Amino acid sequence: MAQAIVVRELGGPEVLKMEGVTLAAPGPGEVQIRQVAIGLNFIDVYFRTGLYKSATGLPFIPGKEGAGIVTAVGDGVALFSVGDRVAYASADGAYASERNVDASQLVKVPDGIGLETAAAMMLKGMTAQYLLNQTFEVGPDTTLLFHAAAGGVGLIAGQWAKALGATVIGTAGSQEKIDLALAHGYDHVINYRTENFVTRVKELTGGRGVDVVYDSVGRDTFPASLDCLKPRGLWVSFGNSSGAVEAFNIGILAQKGSLFATRPTLFSYVATRPALEACANSLFDVVQSNKVRININQTYPLAEAGLAHTDLEARKTSGTTLLIP
């Protein structure tokens, strides 16, 4: 019998309860895997609280990201075999020791990358990939602001953006996190608890502002993020760690310099098999080239998923966190 975290009611971290679950044989198009590690992401909190709705309703097994070894394959699966090392970034139900996954969501993990590293980087790393290479094409002429620079996506994005030649500005909430971000590609990191980040961005850019703001914080950084942009700059809102941005008059974009705004999700960027493979391979390449290193800063037993969520929401974690079955 597999072990899984099952959410039977929406609420705080206390609703994350370990249960034994019966795992059926993989169905047509499915692969069964024994999980080695599971990635912890803020999107898991959104589903636990009900901000985002689970496709299956209650009860559900949370989690999007993991890596493991194939133990069985269903009918019609041609790309994977028993023993393959695989990972995924967008398959609901990750908080389990074993699980079935639609084969279309999986990618093979290259031999040079460990499964724990893969679990730590798939969702966060592919998010960084699309943000920096597709939502906005970052290059040597780019100056950008990345909120939550010491978070899981932030630490990957800082290194990747620096490898692309950009000038990289970040925000963080403590000296420890500032030092961590500076060691991961950021040129400047602003302490948002003690400094006005709009004022500092204008100082650092000679009053010009940045080309693009990447904002996973949400309510606490809006609309100030818009004031960091140069005219016709792009605000990328890709998360809501402080709460969702409330509805606003789109005319504010004109008032602040004919700005652009987008609310992307990874799942729109990997909706086809070629797009998924291209995004994952881009990530694998940048990691294997040592341009981006993946650091696992915290691990928790799967049974302590509630504690992991508590620490994540209290901003006690930095970088990548794994749950270990």
Side-chain angles (χ1 to χ4, degrees), residues 161-224:
K162 180 48 60 178
L164 292 170
T167 299
V168 191
I169 304 170
T171 65
S174 70
Q175 190 58 50
E176 180 182 9
K177 290 187 175 183
I178 288 171
D179 293 341
L180 185 61
L182 288 171
H184 287 76
Y186 286 84
D187 297 290
H188 313 280
V189 184
I190 301 162
N191 188 331
Y192 64 81
R193 296 188 189 277
T194 61
E195 300 178 279
N196 182 305
F197 68 81
V198 176
T199 301
R200 284 291 292 136
V201 165
K202 291 298 179 67
E203 291 172 354
L204 292 168
T205 60
R208 293 183 299 277
V210 299
D211 299 287
V212 56
V213 174
Y214 293 107
D215 190 344
S216 64
V217 176
R219 184 172 56 207
D220 287 355
T221 48
F222 182 85

Side-chain angles (χ1 to χ4, degrees), residues 56 145 163 186 267:
T56 61
L145 173 65
Y186 286 84
F267 315 114

Side-chain angles (χ1 to χ4, degrees), residues 29-51:
E30 289 186 333
V31 170
Q32 189 168 105
I33 63 174
R34 175 179 59 80
Q35 302 217 103
V36 171
I38 300 149
L40 176 71
N41 296 281
F42 224 100
I43 194 172
D44 305 344
V45 174
Y46 302 155
F47 280 100
R48 189 203 75 218
T49 62
L51 178 64

Side-chain angles (χ1 to χ4, degrees), residues 38-87:
I38 300 149
L40 176 71
N41 296 281
F42 224 100
I43 194 172
D44 305 344
V45 174
Y46 302 155
F47 280 100
R48 189 203 75 218
T49 62
L51 178 64
Y52 291 178
K53 306 301 180 185
S54 169
T56 61
L58 290 169
F60 67 90
I61 298 171
K64 289 278 190 183
E65 174 184 49
I69 298 170
V70 175
T71 56
V73 297
D75 291 342
V77 174
L79 292 177
F80 303 99
S81 303
V82 171
D84 283 348
R85 302 162 68 251
V86 295

Side-chain angles (χ1 to χ4, degrees), residues 212-237:
V212 56
V213 174
Y214 293 107
D215 190 344
S216 64
V217 176
R219 184 172 56 207
D220 287 355
T221 48
F222 182 85
S225 287
L226 303 183
D227 294 322
C228 297
L229 288 164
K230 63 175 57 172
R232 293 182 292 166
L234 173 64
W235 174 56
V236 183
S237 174

